[in-house]
Amino acid sequence: MNFTEFVRNYHIQLNEQQMQAVQATEGPVLLLAVPGSGKTTVLVSRLGYMIYCLGITPESILTVTYTVAATNDMRRRFAGMFGEADAERLEFRTINGVCSQIIRTYERRLGRTAFTLLEDAGQRGALLGELYRAQTGEFAAESTVKALMTAVTYAKNQMLTGEELAQVQVEGVEFSKIFRDYEQALRQSRRMDYDDQMVYAYVMLKKIPWLLAYFQELYPYICVDEAQDTSKIQHAIIALLAASTENLFMVGDEDQSIYGFRAAYPEALLEFEQRHRGAKVLLMEENFRSDANIVAAADHFIQKNT
């Protein structure tokens, strides 16, 4: 089936920029898509094109989304266009889901058990509250505990070094000491938090050649949605996984990044061409969601950005 037959058979309507993005399947590609430009339609259509026109097996395509809800929505959208059977064969995962898969594969191969995942945010907060009290002699306010949790997430996702940790400020405490004590407490109890999942997966991929090779062979095609909200360590993990084939398709818009406080790293989009040799940058610039009045008002507002 060629592309013309594909869009006709599945009743897919695309503009010129969208058609170009759907057919960009080889090598590193960054798609910068403005709000309302139909990126989910393009992502789902591209998966269909890869499977039905190029003969790529669904299991060899990893699609990384930002949230579990987005993962379920994309699978549902694909099933609606192309059927449930192939939707079930595709891999839609969050980055934490990918990292969990990496750790579990290591466990199975070596017959070892990794640290227990500390899923309860309340338990994490209680531990940080205890460490705060040990350092200050006072009980931590709820806002302080939340600030500490955010700072811990930021430090791990930004891959901060010792000197950089010292620059992180949480009012009333020496954050770098609380961070080190928190890490030590987790290790002593053989637990890890969600951010540790990424830290450990990254270290494993860097240090264990067979594990990296296994996942590179498992997923020769990688697609990343909402790339502007991906953190530095997440970009590093994805780069390792894609290094063998460089069939990496990233979709995002650096101007839409809103999770800087949680260590989103939109700078990676600006550096994409330097980091990936021979990279293409494609654009989707037409907003289908908002009428002209909304776009004009938004444009007038963002012209003030410096």
Side-chain angles (χ1 to χ4, degrees):
M1 186 188 310
N2 61 32
F3 181 74
T4 302
E5 293 168 335
F6 171 71
V7 295
R8 183 178 64 244
N9 291 349
Y10 291 103
H11 310 289
I12 300 171
Q13 295 184 327
L14 303 168
N15 66 19
E16 190 64 37
Q17 289 184 324
Q18 291 171 332
M19 285 192 285
Q20 188 178 8
V22 166
Q23 296 175 83
T25 59
E26 300 295 322
V29 178
L30 172 62
L31 175 62
L32 297 176
V34 304
S37 58
K39 69 179 179 61
T40 303
T41 297
V42 166
L43 285 167
V44 171
S45 299
R46 182 177 178 273
L47 291 171
Y49 174 74
M50 293 171 73
I51 295 167
Y52 305 117
C53 293
L54 303 183
I56 297 169
T57 58
E59 292 84 357
S60 66
I61 309 168
L62 172 64
T63 301
V64 180
T65 60
Y66 192 65
T67 65
V68 173
T71 295
N72 294 334
D73 179 62
M74 198 170 297
R75 179 181 284 108
R76 188 163 51 247
R77 291 278 294 271
F78 184 92
M81 289 178 69
F82 303 111
E84 190 67 40
D86 284 332
E88 289 300 316
R89 294 176 62 193
L90 281 163
E91 290 283 357
F92 297 101
R93 293 181 181 268
T94 63
I95 189 68
N96 277 98
V98 174
C99 291
S100 177
Q101 185 186 20
I102 291 168
I103 293 170
R104 300 296 166 243
T105 300
Y106 178 80
E107 282 184 320
R108 288 194 300 271
R109 177 72 70 91
L110 272 69
R112 297 179 182 176
T113 302
F115 291 170
T116 302
L117 181 63
L118 182 58
E119 299 182 68
D120 190 330
Q123 291 182 2
R124 286 183 61 218
L127 174 56
L128 288 166
E130 291 172 13
L131 296 173
Y132 175 91
R133 187 182 179 193
Q135 184 178 123
T136 67
E138 300 176 356
F139 288 99
E142 184 179 348
S143 59
T144 300
V145 172
K146 287 183 177 179
L148 287 170
M149 292 173 71
T150 299
V152 167
T153 289
Y154 181 86
K156 293 183 182 182
N157 276 267
Q158 284 285 59
M159 308 171 74
L160 299 185
T161 63
E163 289 184 4
E164 292 167 330
L165 271 175
Q167 304 303 312
V168 178
Q169 296 184 354
V170 176
E171 187 175 356
V173 295
E174 182 188 345
F175 173 72
S176 59
K177 183 178 188 314
I178 284 189
F179 180 84
R180 290 193 296 270
D181 291 344
Y182 173 75
E183 291 290 271
Q184 183 178 4
L186 286 180
R187 285 195 296 272
Q188 287 176 343
S189 61
R190 294 189 58 79
R191 294 182 295 177
M192 61 180 172
D193 60 24
Y194 278 108
D195 301 308
D196 285 328
Q197 272 193 324
M198 292 183 287
V199 173
Y200 293 150
Y202 175 71
V203 171
M204 287 176 174
L205 292 175
K206 289 279 285 186
K207 292 187 175 181
I208 306 171
W210 69 260
L211 189 63
L212 177 59
Y214 173 82
F215 279 95
Q216 288 178 337
E217 185 175 347
L218 185 65
Y219 300 127
Y221 294 90
I222 298 176
C223 173
V224 181
D225 190 18
E226 303 291 6
Q228 75 276 356
D229 293 324
T230 304
S231 70
K232 182 177 285 188
I233 195 166
Q234 292 168 356
H235 278 291
I237 291 166
I238 291 164
L240 283 173
L241 294 175
S244 177
T245 64
E246 282 290 348
N247 291 328
L248 174 61
F249 186 74
M250 300 197 85
V251 184
D253 179 0
E254 74 278 10
D255 292 327
Q256 292 185 60
S257 183
I258 60 172
Y259 290 111
F261 68 98
R262 286 209 316 236
Y265 191 66
E267 291 89 342
L269 304 189
L270 304 178
E271 301 164 358
F272 190 83
E273 290 176 280
Q274 288 72 47
R275 290 172 178 265
H276 301 278
R277 187 188 298 263
K280 298 178 187 174
V281 177
L282 304 180
L283 303 175
M284 292 201 325
E285 301 167 290
E286 186 173 353
N287 185 332
F288 296 98
R289 183 185 302 148
S290 307
D291 69 22
N293 291 327
I294 295 173
V295 174
D299 181 62
H300 181 72
F301 179 77
I302 65 175
Q303 291 300 331
K304 309 297 183 184
N305 287 352
T306 55

